[in-house]
Amino acid sequence: DTGVSQDPRHKITKRGQNVTFRCDPISEHNRLYWYRQTLGQGPEFLTYFQNEAQLEKSRLLSDRFSAERPKGSFSTLEIQRTEQGDSAMYLCASSLTGLIEAFFGQGTRLTVV
Amino acid sequence: AQSVTQPDIHITVSEGASLELRCNYSYGATPYLFWYVQSPGQGLQLLLKYFSGDTLVQGIKGFEAEFKRSQSSFNLRKPSVHWSDAAEYFCAVGRDDKIIFGKGTRLHILP
């Protein structure tokens, strides 16, 4: 297994369009996290899954954001009606239950123009 | 209330010099503590972690960190930096089943 992979690596979209990102975690990891990182800031927690169940959502995750992990494997993060403020790096991480260690993907950089 | 504080936004050191990056956390119990490194445009790589036991932990790339409960600190150190260490460093705590990050310290290396 080569680690956590995210697709695409870069996405440029026009304001108002919808975008979807994909994350493939390390295969035996049952926890999957999404974070958002803006320029000059640390990653901010958005949401996490244990298997297919979404256990927590940050208040940063507005109604325009939705995340799924339908079969407890890969996950998607969708942003509807994108705004310029959504421009950021979106990071995915996975871990085994218990938060012993989280492994991060290389992220998807979103630019909304 | 912010859980993790990294008081230095930027730090510049000369190649070969020693390094210490500061981190303070606020949390009632002893949390899980982490240091991650991020190169430009890349994801986060775990340098080291502390859960319990010996308060001096060794990590990858020659880094170490010391947990001091009395000071609520978990400072990262390296005896001699290399130009390739230039990156952003994030201290983080594990609480409530997620990792909370500080705002990061950007390390610059002078040749």
Side-chain angles (χ1 to χ4, degrees):
Chain A
D1 192 293
T2 57
V4 179
S5 63
Q6 293 187 244
D7 183 70
R9 291 289 310 279
H10 303 274
K11 178 71 177 179
I12 300 174
T13 191
K14 292 183 179 179
R15 188 174 52 189
Q17 296 294 306
N18 299 345
V19 294
T20 300
F21 310 140
R22 177 179 170 123
C23 172
D24 287 273
I26 294 172
S27 58
E28 66 268 25
H29 286 183
N30 54 10
R31 284 202 174 169
L32 187 147
Y33 300 82
W34 284 101
Y35 284 79
R36 182 174 70 186
Q37 185 179 21
T38 52
L39 201 61
Q41 300 295 315
E44 296 172 296
F45 170 78
L46 292 179
T47 187
Y48 86 97
F49 294 83
Q50 173 132 338
N51 300 312
E52 65 275 10
Q54 188 172 17
L55 296 188
E56 185 175 344
K57 292 193 289 186
S58 162
R59 57 187 168 81
L60 294 175
L61 213 65
S62 76
D63 291 345
R64 296 184 298 105
F65 288 70
S66 63
E68 294 182 341
R69 195 182 182 197
K71 297 183 179 178
S73 57
F74 73 92
S75 175
T76 58
L77 177 68
E78 181 184 17
I79 309 174
Q80 296 182 326
R81 304 180 304 281
T82 52
E83 302 173 355
Q84 287 190 320
D86 298 330
S87 295
M89 174 82 88
Y90 290 85
L91 294 163
C92 176
S94 70
S95 74
L96 293 169
T97 304
L99 198 60
I100 300 301
E101 184 170 342
F103 294 84
F104 282 80
Q106 292 192 304
T108 295
R109 179 165 296 285
L110 173 66
T111 303
V112 181
V113 297
Chain B
Q2 186 172 354
S3 294
V4 185
T5 302
Q6 295 181 249
D8 303 305
I9 298 174
H10 294 274
I11 283 202
T12 301
V13 298
S14 297
E15 190 169 15
S18 64
L19 170 70
E20 182 168 28
L21 301 182
R22 296 183 290 164
C23 174
N24 293 94
Y25 66 91
S26 56
Y27 188 51
T30 299
Y32 295 165
L33 295 163
F34 307 89
W35 275 99
Y36 283 85
V37 61
Q38 186 178 39
S39 297
Q42 300 298 311
L44 295 156
Q45 181 182 22
L46 180 68
L47 286 176
L48 46 79
K49 58 184 183 283
Y50 173 78
F51 296 150
S52 64
D54 193 348
T55 57
L56 185 64
V57 294
Q58 302 297 320
I60 62 171
K61 303 185 179 187
F63 286 92
E64 67 178 24
E66 186 172 13
F67 169 63
K68 293 186 177 180
R69 184 190 306 274
S70 61
Q71 298 176 20
S72 297
S73 69
F74 188 58
N75 295 348
L76 182 71
R77 300 194 294 245
K78 187 170 185 179
S80 176
V81 299
H82 185 263
W83 63 267
S84 60
D85 294 324
E88 186 129 28
Y89 292 80
F90 293 96
C91 181
V93 300
R95 58 176 290 185
D96 302 328
D97 286 337
K98 55 188 174 287
I99 298 177
I100 307 298
F101 289 86
K103 294 190 174 185
T105 297
R106 181 163 294 279
L107 176 64
H108 306 270
I109 308 292
L110 293 175

